[in-house]
Structure formats: structure tokens, C-alpha cells
Amino acid sequence: MTSLLGAGYNGSSWIDWSWVNDHTTEISTRLREHIVLALLALLYGLVIALPLAILASRKRRLLPPILSVTGVLYTIPSLAAFAFLLPFTGLSRETALIPLTAYSLLILVRNVVTGLDGVPAEVVEAARGMGYSAPRQLVQIELPLAVPAIIAGIRIAAVTLIGLVPVAALIGQGGLGAMMLDGFQRDFRTPITVAGVLVIALAVVTDAALVLVQRLATPWARRSRVAA
Amino acid sequence: MTKSRCRSGRRAITTVAITLAIAVVLAACGSSSKANTSSTTAKKAALNVGSKNFGGAQILSQAYGQALAAKGYQITYKDNIGATELIYKALTNGDIDLYGEYQGTLLTYLNGTPTGDAQTTYAALQQKLPPTIVASKPAPAVDVNGFYVLKSTADKYHLTTISSLKPVAPQLVFGGPPECESRPLCLGAKEQQLYGLQFKEVKKLDPGGPITVKALDDGTIDVGLLFTGSSVIKPNYVLLQDDKGLQPADNPVAVIRKSVDTAEINSIIDKVNAALTVQEYNTLALQVQDQKLDPKDVAAAFLRSKGLA
Amino acid sequence: MGPAIARGGVNFLGHVVDWFANGDHWHGREGVPYLVVQHLEISAISLLFAIVIALPIGLVLGHLRRGGFLAVSFSNIGRALPSLAILLLAVLAFGVGSPPKVFRTVGIGSFPTFIALVALAVPPVLTNTYVGMAGVDTELREAARGMGMSGAQVLRRVELPVALPLIMAGVRTSAVAVVATATLAAYVGWGGLGRYIIDGLAVSDNVRVFVGALLVALLSIVVELALGAVQRAVVSRGLQLRDQPAPAVVQRPAPTNA
């Protein structure tokens, strides 16, 4: 029976490359799960954050409460956030997706507001003077100028989300985190190491890709102070 | 100036819009990752097979699932759901249709009284199960809670049975799964009744996995709860004899929702269980825990060697 | 259906209140006070260690304005640092507890947890210290030099005070991240407030899970606010960072990374 299986793998080496070779399908499945979860949370977060931020930057009174509430929520550890929802949404993808979206939202609102606030007053007035209606002004003048800050926010959100997804493995939804737990339960280091390295790699690649997007979108902003 | 602003503005928005569109497409593509259902001639039921959160149970669920898949059933796996408390609920909820369980543990969870005999335990289980759930006939293998100490500890305190543990327990630290204190077969009601162990400290570790093993090895705990059939038992561990018969006949059974159960499914599972002897189960478990092979592959090789897949 | 859900929700919250009202839950090794102290203890010690490691490096590099690219990349990677992976690997490598005696007496019950927390806490402190120091106005430095201060004196008397807001922000970020990740350590057999969440998950006790989540959230918020107050007290008035939406480096405290 063992001949059908092969010799097994070394549990205590940090990376057993033969395991990696044999498990490329599983690794790519987990990677894809991970990306999808982070991506969905990012998109949902953006969809909610944009109108919220536009509202906040228009009605200044709303800004401090929105920022304080989002600041406080941001502090809640992700395991706690998933755990809060568990009694209500069970061991489903929603239990992971809702808090992830919330974290993404919190980061994005702040950055979009910063971006919109950064539009010089003279530009807004010039636009008003030239007869731009409020929606046109928003879409054609303010948002484009806010793009560097928005993309900076997307960068932070994307990288943060990539780091948060593994924790959801504790409630059965974790992408690469599931690989970590599986390895751990068998006293097997390789899956954990591989998953950890991939999380970091994914974050670095995503960040670099977004920097590229930022450069493409706003070439004029290159020489001015670019968000680190 | 207006014109170049306009162009730059449009460029910015366009770039962002394209990026977002790509992102949405990626997300959609990634989400719809349903495996291509190869059109087989026989359209048999689609079943969700769940598994508990330790190696032995995962092998069971894989074995059942793959044996069924070999006969044309469409199987989706939901792995690593948790202990009985969680996975049984998933079964009754309909989140899963079938999973690999241990009859003594399940019977105790359902407030029944298992015995050391597989047949009587099975009969009792069938009585306790609700009408919507059925359990297959048990396999010969057993996987029960075992109280283990290091040989050095056994020598020091002259420990051979669990009863001999009682007088020294207050000096010792115990480690086991987080659910141990509420589990009658661990440190809960039934154990207290039979042995009445009171330890200096009870640490919540993991279900018979590496944390408990390492804790036992490095002395963080003196007594560890491991599974006799599927945990990694090192040569210098001593299993304390269950002299008062706390542990029941914990044979593997498949627990299925009656609504999806058929005679064919029963017969397939019975064949799998019949091949799961104590020795066989142990070998399979070690392949997963020690050799780090995947439960999926181990189960596949097992089924193939028995002509079941 | 709506009223049923609402009733179910109120029912559930009733159970949560009952849990808190139960005196047993406030005693002993599984009681709230014990776990809170345990949680704070390891968080504080890990943070201190991280500061001891990261601060000098950040100060020197920032003062010399060397290694900037590294420091800033560190910050971005730090945000995605898989603390779960580090925690799990540390346990597999070092076992679950029994750290060297010196650690035990200081209150570190779990060596792997400690390592993972320190690893997690270093990047924000390091990056922010670097950026804070490197970002000090050139004119300020030159004025100080012009006044005859040596390099070390410039560092201590000019750059450090100016960089302090950013450094404190980094410490705050680390602190909240550490408290959050300590929650995770309950999965690998440690204690702390995460215990309620992990044990509740194990026995499918939703009330306990919720209670754990609540307590952890409260603790994190308290730590964040407390350090905010410390920051305001320590940093001289003229240098206070006004509470603005976050630019890339001065991070708002991050939730648990994994």
C-alpha cells in the first residue's frame, strides 16, 4: 500500500520541496481562495466607502463622528470580529467577508476623505465659475485629483486584507490560512512556511502593482510628495 | 490648462476604472470555482461530506467520500469542521450530508450510555439518534481517549492505571482538547464519577495533536490526552490502563442524513468499514500524522488496495 | 420573520448578560480578571522587547538617513506579516510553553507566543522611528549643528523630540497589533482573552464566543485610548499630530494580522 503513496515528507524541515512539488494544485487553490476573499472585501469596501466619504467631505459635521467610529472599529482584532458574527451567520463565507469588508471600508473612507479634502479650493471655485454642475465637478475634477490618495488607501487596504484573511481559517474560511492550520495539526512545518511566504509575496506583488496603477493613473503626481 | 486637466482627469478615472473592472472580473472568475462536473451516465446524488478536526477522522471522511465517488456520487468535501459539538450540528442543519464519527463519542454527546462492547453501543446509538439521522454499522477499529504519561513520570509515581493516577493527580498538570472538561469521556461528568481525577491544572491544548504531544515531551504537562488510534504515540509514552472502563467502544461510523440515505450508500460504507481494522486504521493514521501524507491520498491508497475504488 | 429574528437576538444578548452576571466567571484561572492580566502581561513585555530592539535601530538609521527604502518596505510588509504562520511555526519549533526560567518569572507563559508578538511589534516601531527621525527638517538639523551640537546631541535634543509623535504613533500601532495577536495565541494552547473565543468555538458555545469577542474588543479599544492619552501627555504641545486621516506611514492601529 505504501508503494502507491511514496515515502512521505519531512515534518521538521522548514520547507520540504518535494511536498511543494506534489501539491501545486492545492497551493494554487488556496492562493486563489485567498485572493478572492481579499479582493471581494476590497471591492465591497470601496463601493461603500466612496459614497460615505463623499458624504463626509460635503457635510463636515458628519466627519468627526464617522472618523471616530471607524477608528474605534478598526481597533477590534479580526478574530474577535469574526467571532462576533459567528452566532448569527455561522461557519460561512459571510462571517469572514463582512468584517473584512468593514476593515477595508475603514481604511478607504479615511483616504478618500483626505483625497477629496486635498483638492485646492481655487480649483473647485474655478470649476463652479465655469459652470460645472455638482455631479460633473465631482466626477471630472475632484475625484481625479483625489485619485493618488484613493489609490494610496487601496494599497493599504489591499495589503492589510491579505494579512487578515488567514485568521479566518479559524472559522473555516481562510485561504492560505487553512494551509497553515492543516500543517500545524500534523506537526508539519512546510505548509505553514509556504503559506506564510505566499502571504507576504502576495502583499508585495499587490502593493507593487498598485504603485504601477498609481503611476499610470496620475503621472503628474509623480514629482510631488507621493505617499510612501 | 483646462484641456490638459480634463485629459489628465479622464486618464486618472479611466485607469482606475479599468483596474477595478479587472479586479471585479478576477473576483468573479475566482468565485465561480465549482469543479467541472464531468457528465457521467449515472446521475447520482450530490453529497456534502464533512470531517472532524483531527487526522483519524479526516481519513474516515475521505474514505467514505471517495468510495461513494467511485460509484458515481458527486462528492463535495467540507474539511476540518470541528469536534462533534460543531459537526453534528452541521449535519442536522443540512450543511453537510455525511461525516465520519465515532459511535461512543456520539452516543455520549446525545446523552446516551455507551459500553465497551461495539454491538450494544451501536444499538444504543440507534435508539438515541433522531429519526432524521442514521448511523452505519461500526468498523472494527477503535480510537478512544487515552491518558498518557511519560515513562519517567510513570516510574516516579508508580502509575499503571488511571485509578493509580487519582492520588497524585493534584500534583500533576493535565493537558487535553479545549472541550475536555465538558466531555464526559475526558474530564467531564462520567470520568468524575468513575475516577474523580482532580488535577493541579488543566491546560486546554488541542485534540490529540502536536501541541499536546510537545507539551508532554517538554514537561509542560504531566498527563496528556491523546487518541489511542490516531495520535502520534512516542515510544516513551505510557498509556494508563482504563481499568474502570471509562472509554466506550469508539468505533468509526458514518453518520448520514436519512433524507439522502439509500441502500446502495449503506452497502458502500459497510464495505469500507469492514476493511477498517484496528491495525489498518492505525497505519493510516500514522501515514497522515507521521509521514505527513494527505488524508485524501492515504484514503485513496487504502481503498484501492481493498478494491473499493 | 423580522420580529422572530429580533427576539432571537435579544434572547441571545440576554444570555450574554447572564454570562457576565455569573460570579463563577470572575474567579480562577478561567475568570475574566486572570485572563485580562495574562493578556496584558505578555502584550506589555513583548512590546517592551520590540521597542528595545526596534528603537535604537530606527533612531540610528533615521539619524544617518540610511536604509530608508528598507525601512519603508518593512512597513508595508509588516502590515501583511503573517503572524499566524509565525505563531504556528514557533510552537512547532519551541513547544508550547516552558520558556527559560527568566521568561517565566517575568510572566511569559508561552515562549512561541512571545516570539511571534515581538516579531509582529518590531516593524511599526522601526518604520515610524526611522521616518520620524529622517523626516526632521534639514534646516533644524543644520541650525543645531551650527550651534555646535555633536551628532549625538542633535539626535537626542533635536531629532528625537521632533520625531516623538511619529514614534509614539508607531508604538500605539504595535501595541494594538500585539494585543490583537495575543488573542490568536489561545489557539496554540496559551491563555489570554482569546481563550473564550477558542473554547467557545470548540464546544459550539456561541455565548462564550461572543463574550470573548466583546472583551477582546473592549481591551483593544482601552489600550488604544490609553496610549493615545499617553501620547498626548508625552509629546510636547507644539508637536502634537492632529488627528487626521492617515497618510501611508503613520498608520492607524491595525487589526490582527495573521
Side-chain angles (χ1 to χ4, degrees):
Chain A
M1 185 165 62
T2 334
S3 57
L4 289 166
L5 285 172
Y9 308 101
N10 184 345
S12 55
S13 86
W14 295 98
I15 296 197
D16 182 339
W17 289 102
S18 61
W19 183 88
V20 177
N21 266 331
D22 295 338
H23 289 83
T24 45
T25 329
E26 184 188 330
I27 295 175
S28 57
T29 309
R30 292 294 185 199
L31 187 58
R32 199 178 39 178
E33 269 172 29
H34 198 111
I35 294 175
V36 167
L37 212 48
L39 200 48
L40 283 177
L42 184 64
L43 290 174
Y44 292 159
L46 200 54
V47 159
I48 304 176
L50 273 174
L52 205 59
I54 293 172
L55 182 68
S57 81
R58 292 277 184 266
K59 306 234 185 320
R60 305 307 293 194
R61 274 180 309 122
L62 289 177
L63 189 58
I66 289 185
L67 288 183
S68 330
V69 168
T70 56
V72 161
L73 290 180
Y74 196 55
T75 315
I76 298 176
S78 57
L79 182 56
F82 299 137
F84 267 135
L85 279 184
L86 199 73
F88 311 106
T89 46
L91 292 168
S92 66
R93 196 164 80 163
E94 283 62 51
T95 313
L97 205 46
I98 296 175
L100 289 174
T101 305
Y103 287 124
S104 150
L105 169 57
L106 303 180
I107 299 170
L108 291 169
V109 164
R110 288 176 167 259
N111 278 272
V112 176
V113 167
T114 311
L116 290 173
D117 282 355
V119 175
E122 316 88 69
V123 173
V124 174
E125 290 192 7
R128 194 73 60 74
M130 287 187 336
Y132 275 76
S133 65
R136 261 188 87 197
Q137 178 185 315
L138 183 63
V139 172
Q140 289 196 326
I141 306 289
E142 292 181 89
L143 279 181
L145 286 177
V147 159
I150 296 179
I151 298 190
I154 294 179
R155 268 174 75 193
I156 302 176
V159 169
T160 307
L161 287 173
I162 290 171
L164 288 178
V165 166
V167 180
L170 290 170
I171 54 158
Q173 300 296 325
L176 291 169
M179 214 157 87
M180 293 179 197
L181 292 189
D182 168 60
F184 182 70
Q185 282 165 3
R186 297 192 274 159
D187 198 356
F188 189 11
R189 295 183 197 182
T190 301
I192 309 179
T193 313
V194 170
V197 165
L198 281 176
V199 167
I200 299 181
L202 189 57
V204 167
V205 164
T206 308
D207 195 54
L210 287 171
V211 167
L212 196 61
V213 169
Q214 184 169 354
R215 297 246 177 95
L216 285 174
T218 54
W220 71 79
R222 201 177 305 182
R223 249 163 265 105
S224 51
R225 191 176 101 258
V226 171
Chain B
M1 194 259 297
T2 326
K3 259 223 171 94
S4 68
R5 270 292 173 170
C6 253
R7 241 204 325 266
S8 318
R10 239 175 302 185
R11 179 189 196 157
I13 294 272
T14 316
T15 317
V16 175
I18 293 180
T19 314
L20 286 179
I22 297 178
V24 170
V25 169
L26 270 178
C29 277
S31 287
S32 58
S33 54
K34 285 286 171 218
N36 321 344
T37 38
S38 46
S39 45
T40 40
T41 44
K43 273 297 179 138
K44 295 227 184 115
L47 297 169
N48 283 321
V49 173
S51 76
K52 294 174 79 171
N53 58 347
F54 60 95
Q58 285 162 354
I59 299 172
L60 275 190
S61 297
Q62 280 293 326
Y64 297 143
Q66 289 182 36
L68 290 168
K71 298 294 183 204
Y73 290 86
Q74 332 259 48
I75 306 288
T76 334
Y77 295 96
K78 293 199 181 180
D79 288 323
N80 230 351
I81 295 181
T84 307
E85 288 86 343
L86 273 141
I87 195 171
Y88 184 72
K89 237 188 243 184
L91 187 72
T92 51
N93 271 345
D95 290 338
I96 54 175
D97 299 306
L98 184 160
Y99 78 97
E101 179 60 275
Y102 299 84
Q103 60 169 355
T105 306
L106 183 57
L107 181 55
T108 311
Y109 174 74
L110 295 173
N111 295 319
T113 318
T115 67
D117 175 62
Q119 292 316 313
T120 47
T121 305
Y122 183 58
L125 178 62
Q126 283 180 304
Q127 296 233 311
K128 277 290 179 177
L129 282 172
T132 46
I133 309 280
V134 287
S136 72
K137 293 207 246 333
V142 246
D143 199 1
V144 296
N145 290 341
F147 288 70
Y148 289 85
V149 293
L150 294 177
K151 185 152 191 318
S152 48
T153 315
D155 292 339
K156 180 171 173 188
Y157 296 100
H158 309 292
L159 302 171
T160 48
T161 62
I162 302 184
S163 295
S164 60
L165 194 50
K166 183 169 176 181
V168 291
Q171 301 167 39
L172 302 177
V173 176
F174 175 91
E179 63 271 15
C180 191
E181 274 172 326
S182 55
R183 284 287 195 91
L185 301 176
C186 191
L187 288 180
K190 187 164 185 206
E191 179 277 323
Q192 288 298 310
Q193 218 181 356
L194 285 177
Y195 293 111
L197 298 171
Q198 294 293 324
F199 289 99
K200 177 165 85 171
E201 191 189 340
V202 172
K203 286 194 183 290
K204 298 187 166 168
L205 303 175
D206 63 353
I211 307 183
T212 311
V213 166
K214 286 182 198 293
L216 198 53
D217 285 341
D218 71 15
T220 307
I221 57 176
D222 303 301
V223 183
L225 190 98
L226 299 171
F227 303 139
T228 59
S230 58
S231 292
V232 176
I233 309 295
K234 304 219 171 140
N236 65 330
Y237 292 177
V238 171
L239 171 63
L240 298 177
Q241 250 179 47
D242 180 18
D243 50 306
K244 294 202 178 152
L246 170 65
Q247 300 305 329
D250 232 350
N251 309 73
V253 290
V255 196
I256 317 171
R257 286 162 50 73
K258 184 151 184 145
S259 53
V260 301
D261 192 30
T262 66
E264 186 186 10
I265 293 182
N266 285 339
S267 111
I268 295 174
I269 293 187
D270 284 345
K271 290 209 188 85
V272 175
N273 274 338
L276 269 175
T277 62
V278 172
Q279 198 71 309
E280 200 68 75
Y281 179 83
N282 206 255
T283 310
L284 296 176
L286 283 177
Q287 282 172 343
V288 168
Q289 297 292 109
D290 224 10
Q291 289 177 271
K292 320 301 180 192
L293 294 162
D294 292 337
K296 181 167 51 91
D297 299 328
V298 166
F302 164 68
L303 290 176
R304 231 173 302 156
S305 73
K306 304 291 174 188
L308 294 171
Chain C
M1 213 218 356
I5 293 181
R7 227 176 309 140
V10 171
N11 214 350
F12 181 78
L13 289 176
H15 290 312
V16 172
V17 171
D18 288 338
W19 191 97
F20 280 108
N22 184 341
D24 288 335
H25 294 146
W26 296 84
H27 296 315
R29 277 214 176 94
E30 297 262 313
V32 175
Y34 185 86
L35 293 180
V36 167
V37 167
Q38 194 177 29
H39 203 116
L40 284 175
E41 219 171 28
I42 206 174
S43 302
I45 299 171
S46 311
L47 186 61
L48 219 61
F49 253 75
I51 294 177
V52 161
I53 296 175
L55 197 62
I57 302 178
L59 286 176
V60 168
L61 284 182
H63 171 75
L64 298 174
R65 291 185 165 174
R66 292 284 167 89
F69 175 69
L70 266 165
V72 171
S73 319
F74 224 34
S75 117
N76 261 357
I77 294 180
R79 252 189 283 266
L81 199 68
S83 43
L84 182 60
I86 295 178
L87 194 58
L88 296 177
L89 285 174
V91 170
L92 292 186
F94 296 112
V96 105
S98 295
K101 228 191 211 124
V102 63
F103 287 126
R104 250 177 300 172
T105 48
V106 177
I108 297 174
S110 169
F111 197 50
T113 307
F114 172 66
I115 292 181
L117 291 179
V118 170
L120 184 64
V122 161
V125 176
L126 180 56
T127 309
N128 276 25
T129 307
Y130 173 85
V131 172
M133 293 290 288
V136 173
D137 243 349
T138 331
E139 293 150 10
L140 215 55
R141 289 171 199 253
E142 288 177 1
R145 280 297 173 100
M147 280 169 25
M149 292 195 198
S150 70
Q153 284 176 320
V154 172
L155 194 160
R156 218 169 15 95
R157 292 163 68 178
V158 175
E159 293 177 320
L160 187 50
V162 171
L164 205 53
L166 265 171
I167 298 179
M168 275 297 318
V171 169
R172 265 170 89 188
T173 304
S174 280
V176 174
V178 163
V179 166
T181 308
T183 313
L184 218 52
Y187 180 74
V188 291
W190 187 64
L193 287 174
R195 200 69 260 158
Y196 293 134
I197 298 179
I198 298 295
D199 292 346
L201 279 173
V203 295
S204 198
D205 179 355
N206 283 335
V207 174
R208 208 187 317 186
V209 169
F210 193 84
V211 164
L214 196 58
L215 288 170
V216 167
L218 285 175
L219 186 63
S220 314
I221 294 172
V222 163
V223 167
E224 149 82 339
L225 292 177
L227 286 179
V230 168
Q231 179 169 348
R232 272 189 296 279
V234 157
V235 177
S236 89
R237 183 66 60 93
L239 297 168
Q240 294 285 357
L241 271 181
R242 265 167 319 133
D243 204 2
Q244 307 163 5
V249 170
V250 178
Q251 313 175 26
R252 299 297 307 177
T256 320
N257 279 354

